[in-house]
Amino acid sequence: MATQRPLSDSWFWKRYRPEVDDLQNLTLIPNVATHKPTIDEWSPCCAFPTETYVELKHAGHIPDPILGFNEHKVQWVAECDWLFACNFSLDEYEGLVQGKVRSEIFFEGLDTICDVYLNGKRVLSTDNMFDSYTLPITTPDSVSKSSNTLVLHFRSAKHYSKELEQRYGAVRAGSCNLGDPSRVYIRKAQYHYRWDWGPELISSGPWKPVLLRTFSTRIKEFESHAKVLDIESEKVALSILVDIEGKAAHSLDAILLDERGNIVRKETVTIASGEKGTVKLDWEFVSGEVKLWWPMSYGKTHLYMLRVTLLDKAANEIDKADRKIGFRRVELLQYPLLNAPGTTFCFRINGIKMFLGGSNWIPADCFLTTVTEGKYRSWLQLMKDGGQNCVRVWGGGIYESDAFYDICDELGILVWQDMAFACGVYPAHPSFVESVEGEVISNLKRLRHHPSLAILCGNNEDYLQIKMWGVEGGLPAAVLYEKVFPKLVEELVQPPIPYVFGSPYGGKGDDTSDPTVGDVHQWDIWAGAGAPYQDYDILGGRFISEFGVPSLPCLATMESYFADCDDTDQRHPQSQAIQQHTKAGSYERRFSTLMNENFRMTGDLESYMYLTQLMQSEALGYAYRVWRRKWGGEGREETSGILVWQLNDCWPVTSWAVCDYHLRCKPAYYAIAREMKTVTVGIQREVQKNRVNDRPRPFYEYGAFQSVSATIDVWASNLALSSEEVELELFAFDLKSDWTYKETRRLVLPPNASIDVLTGHPCPHGPISPGGMQVPHPSCSVAIGAFIRDREGRLLSQHIDWPQPYKFLRPCDPQVTVVLDGERLVVRVLAPVKGLVLSVPGGEDDVIWSDNCLDVVPDHPYEVTVKGLRGRAIYAAYLGRERALPLALSS
């Protein structure tokens, strides 16, 4: 019987010293509790798989690199070579000597430049973190039964990439905030070299399992392709290919099980004798036998277990393999629009066009071996709970673990998968192309069966680099993106899924910023032109695959900033500690522009944190709202998807993430969730000034320009596949008086589209002072609420439009009251409140809110679900009182 066991026990590590360590005669003699080993002596690994920083921290040789200023105290680690070693037995040695079995060592992932020694002999050299490697044990005299030593010598990736740079020449690789440009020459997670949200921690080590395999006959490769032949009848097909190595196989059992374990199809195939062979099965299923896999909100994520078992003549099991599969069809539609230039960039799943809203994903930790399946599930469940149906695996990280894609399959989250290239002019010399080709083949074979996989992309922003930085000489790696990758995708991925050369990519020539073709990365807000976030409505595109505004994480997470600092003077927005954990370029200048335009200045850290988070929430919520408005139905899909930069962090940091390193949701997370509901409503205000001006269009002006009138647009959006009868209530109120306005109207929302209700409508306001025109216009103190309810009166969506800029608001005490009934929390106010953030000090990780950062107005109670409260006090902060204080709680 084929066996496979992880070599996960009895691993040791040490620093490599070439003047002492003879790798061909290395003896693995760990210290036995006589003293604490130095870094130059063998120490037992605390876990496996593992990496250098994890081991050094666990052994107490370095401080935690993610705390305080410790990043700079551990830079020496990347300058060194490191050794990892283990002893293992080979129980099947007699069979190996007799030629009855074969053995091999399978390295699922080595980070990155590694020489492998088996019993003192170098037997393998690797240079690609993203590929797997197989070491056949070809001769019995190279191993023994009882004791074998496997040594992994990891060279300094930092030094190695600089050597390659000297050989091939220095190139441009993004801005100075993205780490050393030599990174492009090495096939390693690029974010390890530093990014504008992550530290420089260039790791090394066996970051994925090492397996010892022994067999006489085995399943060498298992391939499956699930095809949808007809969507309406749900007629599907399944192709199965099994490559067999060895002589003993007599038959192959193939079985497909549904989610309850019931047999859907089973077949046994007799295998012709021979050394190698391929078994191919083609199954078709008629209507009712198999159900389609659907993304979240559109149906169930039906998954089936496909299992193949290799049997000998006596029907004994020799080997088996299984995987979960789903049946779906995915298409990327790019066709001319009816009333707009360019083409769509629209995904159609199982015949249904879908508006995609979600996030970009970066690696969940600086130290990849610490990311558990449970942590993946927590992150992806956050996405689903927040209504996000698509995640983009960004090219500067890794091809994620199997668990990541399995969970996406289960939760119905579509995956945009970049190849592992980001922000650089990558080379294309033969050895580099050969290495990359092997990497992509391995990962396509590993990932292609996942129904959640919706699109493959050649790179992140490499084409954009040419235009942005004026790089001469073109893009050598275009041969990969435009020839090698599409060829491999076509050969290996069936049924076909979309592939694009890069992200962003579209337009004529090298113009990757054309909003009418392909996808765009919209960075003219925050970076680029430095436009106000209120311009997102005119700075969109057919599919916005990156955009964002940063903020500080929550106060509890910021404690990591101050971990090695007792000086209370560091606890202010412009301290060295804040700078250490803010890697974005020109961040203070960019923050000051957005913050000072919209909010009053503060030097208090808690207030500053609150205001950065409110700004991020307002900006991202607005972007989702106005871009979803452009999902206009058949032929009018002017925007078909929005992916915010970014979902997550890899350490405690001020960043674009909507949930911080500890999975603590920022207000922006809830703003996106509100805009990704099935039915939503939006309001957009435009203030007319008395002369041509350069001010944000919703702003009321009180200086060189004067505000003379204001108009509003109101729209509603319905992502359901059937029309919806609703009631729209518009409710306006004056923040300086008791004037109010209310109107209601019945609407029928068409399926899977947004519709305008009012355009250019005069903004409601109280009476104008006697004498004609009033400056500023009386609407300058009017807030407007839009509320959509279904036929039973249930609230589906609401949005409050406030006069801007917020820094001119003079909020009064809203007199917030909260009533708790089980897990149901009802919030009421006597005066309007903006950005009401509810929290429980010390409960950042175990109190779960269904919604937060609320706009609440009188006579419109706001219901929230809260889990895990356990009698603790609820605190509240809001615009005008940014430091959280306890609320009185009624029951």
Side-chain angles (χ1 to χ4, degrees):
M1 181 176 178
T3 63
Q4 174 176 284
R5 66 180 173 95
L7 297 181
S8 56
D9 299 328
S10 302
W11 278 89
F12 297 83
W13 66 272
K14 69 187 292 288
R15 180 169 62 178
Y16 171 64
R17 294 187 301 165
E19 70 278 9
V20 175
D21 296 318
D22 180 358
L23 294 173
Q24 294 182 338
N25 296 283
L26 195 64
T27 303
L28 180 56
I29 306 178
N31 293 278
V32 184
T34 57
H35 66 280
K36 178 181 177 179
T38 70
I39 61 172
D40 298 321
E41 298 175 308
W42 289 112
S43 295
C45 290
C46 65
F48 198 87
T50 191
E51 54 188 296
T52 48
Y53 292 104
V54 170
E55 294 301 334
L56 287 163
K57 175 192 166 189
H58 181 265
H61 294 300
I62 61 171
D64 190 336
I66 71 172
L67 300 182
F69 295 88
N70 291 342
E71 172 194 358
H72 308 291
K73 300 176 183 177
V74 301
Q75 290 304 302
W76 62 269
V77 176
E79 306 283 347
C80 304
D81 287 13
W82 297 92
L83 300 178
F84 290 83
C86 78
N87 287 327
F88 68 94
S89 61
L90 189 60
D91 298 337
E92 302 81 359
Y93 180 76
E94 300 298 336
L96 186 66
V97 171
Q98 297 168 12
K100 295 181 179 180
V101 299
R102 308 176 201 179
S103 291
E104 65 186 25
I105 301 174
F106 179 70
F107 301 93
E108 194 171 320
L110 298 170
D111 178 15
T112 293
I113 309 304
C114 182
D115 289 329
V116 179
Y117 292 80
L118 179 59
N119 294 330
K121 183 179 179 181
R122 189 172 71 177
V123 290
L124 179 67
S125 294
T126 75
D127 63 358
N128 194 319
M129 174 183 180
F130 307 120
D131 207 351
S132 56
Y133 296 88
T134 300
L135 172 63
I137 300 176
T138 54
T139 56
D141 57 359
S142 65
V143 290
S144 68
K145 180 176 182 177
S146 58
S147 180
N148 301 279
T149 300
L150 183 67
V151 176
L152 310 178
H153 171 211
F154 289 93
R155 291 186 56 188
S156 164
K158 182 176 182 179
H159 290 170
Y160 189 79
S161 60
K162 295 302 287 185
E163 293 170 10
L164 293 174
E165 183 183 60
Q166 289 182 351
R167 184 186 310 172
Y168 294 107
V171 297
R172 188 70 185 260
S175 73
C176 59
N177 301 293
L178 306 189
D180 194 276
S182 64
R183 63 180 171 80
V184 302
Y185 287 110
I186 190 169
R187 297 310 297 145
K188 176 177 175 58
Q190 301 288 269
Y191 82 108
H192 283 165
Y193 280 76
R194 183 167 50 87
W195 221 261
D196 53 5
W197 37 257
E200 181 178 336
L201 295 169
I202 305 175
S203 63
S204 63
W207 75 291
K208 286 190 173 184
V210 178
L211 306 173
L212 177 63
R213 296 170 169 172
T214 302
F215 63 95
S216 61
T217 300
R218 66 169 173 178
I219 296 171
K220 187 175 184 180
E221 193 165 340
F222 171 34
E223 187 176 339
S224 62
H225 303 284
K227 304 176 183 178
V228 178
L229 302 178
D230 184 77
I231 293 167
E232 289 189 9
S233 66
E234 293 194 342
K235 182 179 180 181
V236 302
L238 178 62
S239 297
I240 306 167
L241 289 89
V242 182
D243 284 345
I244 300 167
E245 182 177 6
K247 301 177 180 179
H250 176 264
S251 62
L252 178 83
D253 276 355
I255 188 170
L256 187 69
L257 305 171
D258 66 16
E259 290 150 305
R260 296 183 177 182
N262 299 316
I263 296 175
V264 179
R265 182 71 58 87
K266 183 177 181 180
E267 185 173 349
T268 300
V269 179
T270 302
I271 300 170
S273 60
E275 179 66 12
K276 295 182 180 180
T278 299
V279 174
K280 187 175 188 300
L281 297 173
D282 288 301
W283 292 347
E284 286 196 9
F285 302 86
V286 298
S287 177
E289 283 191 280
V290 167
K291 296 179 180 179
L292 301 185
W293 180 93
W294 288 94
M296 55 176 277
S297 301
Y298 288 90
K300 293 185 178 180
T301 56
H302 295 289
L303 294 170
Y304 294 83
M305 177 62 73
L306 176 61
R307 179 176 295 128
V308 293
T309 306
L310 204 58
L311 304 171
D312 63 16
K313 289 184 178 180
N316 297 312
E317 180 183 306
I318 299 173
D319 198 5
K320 66 179 179 181
D322 58 39
R323 64 168 57 120
K324 287 186 177 181
I325 63 170
F327 295 84
R328 62 87 179 95
R329 180 189 295 173
V330 57
E331 302 165 275
L332 175 60
L333 307 179
Q334 295 179 276
Y335 57 78
L337 291 153
L338 294 176
N339 300 308
T343 54
T344 63
F345 196 93
C346 175
F347 286 86
R348 184 165 64 189
I349 313 296
N350 297 337
I352 303 297
K353 294 178 184 178
M354 295 184 182
F355 182 86
L356 301 189
S359 297
N360 284 264
W361 170 269
I362 67 169
D365 208 287
C366 297
F367 313 122
L368 292 165
T369 57
T370 66
V371 184
T372 63
E373 181 176 346
K375 192 169 185 179
Y376 279 125
R377 181 170 294 280
S378 295
W379 274 116
L380 293 168
Q381 188 66 51
L382 268 181
M383 288 196 72
K384 181 172 183 177
D385 292 345
Q388 299 186 39
N389 58 20
C390 182
V391 60
R392 175 178 175 238
V393 181
W394 169 72
I398 60 172
Y399 305 91
E400 276 296 348
S401 75
D402 292 337
F404 179 93
Y405 304 96
D406 288 340
I407 297 166
C408 286
D409 290 346
E410 177 189 331
L411 298 181
I413 298 172
L414 295 171
V415 177
W416 173 313
Q417 178 68 55
D418 282 0
M419 304 301 184
F421 295 81
C423 301
V425 180
Y426 287 85
H429 50 269
S431 60
F432 186 86
V433 171
E434 181 181 6
S435 178
V436 169
E437 189 170 5
E439 154 199 328
V440 172
I441 290 172
S442 293
N443 284 286
L444 286 180
K445 287 183 175 182
R446 180 171 68 93
L447 302 180
R448 62 190 172 187
H449 70 278
H450 287 282
S452 58
L453 188 61
I455 184 171
L456 295 162
C457 173
N459 68 84
N460 171 79
E461 294 189 354
D462 289 357
Y463 289 98
L464 183 64
Q465 301 297 310
I466 300 295
K467 188 175 182 67
M468 182 182 295
W469 306 113
V471 176
E472 297 181 1
L475 190 62
V479 68
L480 292 169
Y481 313 145
E482 299 176 18
K483 294 182 179 179
V484 174
F485 294 169
K487 180 174 181 290
L488 292 176
V489 171
E490 183 179 7
E491 291 175 352
L492 297 174
V493 182
Q494 292 295 328
I497 67 169
Y499 169 81
V500 291
F501 292 162
S503 178
Y505 192 87
K508 295 181 179 179
D510 61 359
D511 183 9
T512 59
S513 61
D514 185 346
T516 71
V517 181
D519 68 317
V520 296
H521 291 186
Q522 184 44 264
W523 287 111
D524 274 334
I525 284 102
W526 174 257
Y533 76 76
Q534 291 85 355
D535 279 355
Y536 271 131
D537 63 321
I538 57 174
L539 292 174
R542 299 294 172 251
F543 193 107
I544 301 93
S545 48
E546 276 191 26
F547 79 104
V549 170
S551 74
L552 271 69
C554 79
L555 283 176
T557 299
M558 276 196 287
E559 286 303 314
S560 302
Y561 294 18
F562 313 118
D564 56 355
C565 179
D566 296 326
D567 186 357
T568 57
D569 185 56
Q570 288 292 322
R571 296 176 182 268
H572 68 86
Q574 293 181 292
S575 70
Q576 295 101 319
I578 296 293
Q579 186 179 72
Q580 160 61 13
H581 287 261
T582 308
K583 301 297 187 181
S586 304
Y587 75 93
E588 281 195 312
R589 184 184 312 146
R590 291 167 175 173
F591 258 134
S592 65
T593 299
L594 285 172
M595 290 285 287
N596 293 349
E597 274 192 334
N598 292 280
F599 303 104
R600 299 182 187 184
M601 292 183 288
T602 179
D604 175 70
L605 182 58
E606 182 177 352
S607 299
Y608 185 75
M609 176 274 296
Y610 170 90
L611 290 173
T612 66
Q613 292 190 354
L614 180 60
M615 177 183 68
Q616 182 190 42
S617 176
E618 289 293 300
L620 303 191
Y622 175 73
Y624 269 79
R625 189 159 53 251
V626 296
W627 287 336
R628 179 170 161 179
R629 180 186 183 184
K630 297 182 180 182
W631 176 251
E634 187 67 33
R636 295 178 175 84
E637 303 93 341
E638 295 180 24
T639 296
S640 298
I642 311 166
L643 303 178
V644 71
W645 185 269
Q646 65 213 62
L647 176 69
N648 60 320
D649 281 326
C650 64
W651 74 315
V653 64
T654 303
S655 82
W656 296 265
V658 298
C659 302
D660 71 28
Y661 174 66
H662 295 291
L663 293 98
R664 296 162 181 164
C665 298
K666 300 178 185 178
Y669 167 83
Y670 301 102
I672 293 171
R674 289 191 289 269
E675 301 305 330
M676 284 303 296
K677 289 182 176 181
T678 302
V679 173
T680 60
V681 64
I683 306 174
Q684 184 173 4
R685 187 182 319 206
E686 183 163 340
V687 178
Q688 289 76 42
K689 285 80 170 178
N690 60 343
R691 58 175 63 95
V692 175
N693 64 91
D694 60 355
R695 307 299 295 135
R697 287 164 294 137
F699 277 18
Y700 288 90
E701 291 296 319
Y702 302 89
F705 311 109
Q706 291 294 308
S707 307
V708 297
S709 63
T711 57
I712 60 170
D713 290 356
V714 179
W715 64 91
S717 180
N718 176 25
L719 295 184
L721 302 181
S722 58
S723 60
E724 184 80 25
E725 293 183 20
V726 299
E727 179 184 81
L728 170 65
E729 174 195 345
L730 289 179
F731 178 57
F733 44 91
D734 196 305
L735 300 174
K736 295 181 179 179
S737 72
D738 58 2
W739 175 89
T740 62
Y741 167 88
K742 179 179 179 179
E743 71 167 277
T744 60
R745 57 179 69 196
R746 304 294 301 182
L747 302 174
V748 177
L749 305 183
N752 207 14
S754 302
I755 60 166
D756 286 343
V757 180
L758 298 173
T759 56
H761 187 77
C763 182
H765 58 80
I768 294 179
S769 301
M773 180 181 293
Q774 179 177 327
V775 176
H777 192 259
S779 62
C780 69
S781 56
V782 172
I784 311 163
F787 305 84
I788 284 188
R789 296 178 174 85
D790 65 14
R791 285 177 293 181
E792 283 72 42
R794 292 179 296 236
L795 184 67
L796 301 177
S797 176
Q798 74 173 58
H799 172 61
I800 312 297
D801 178 73
W802 300 76
Q804 298 185 53
Y806 298 124
K807 63 187 177 185
F808 293 147
L809 294 180
R810 297 180 181 178
C812 60
D813 181 3
Q815 300 183 56
V816 180
T817 61
V818 291
V819 177
L820 182 65
D821 180 11
E823 294 180 344
R824 177 174 169 265
L825 190 72
V826 180
V827 182
R828 291 181 172 87
V829 296
L830 295 182
V833 63
K834 175 69 184 171
L836 178 66
V837 174
L838 305 173
S839 62
V840 175
E844 295 85 2
D845 300 324
D846 61 349
V847 177
I848 308 300
W849 306 92
S850 65
D851 201 355
N852 217 326
C853 197
L854 317 172
D855 290 356
V856 190
V857 296
D859 302 321
H860 292 78
Y862 206 118
E863 292 189 13
V864 174
T865 300
V866 56
K867 298 180 179 180
L869 193 57
R870 299 198 305 276
R872 288 175 285 184
I874 297 176
Y875 279 58
Y878 50 82
L879 185 64
R881 197 193 76 186
E882 291 81 17
R883 294 179 65 88
L885 293 174
L887 285 174
L889 187 64
S890 302
S891 58

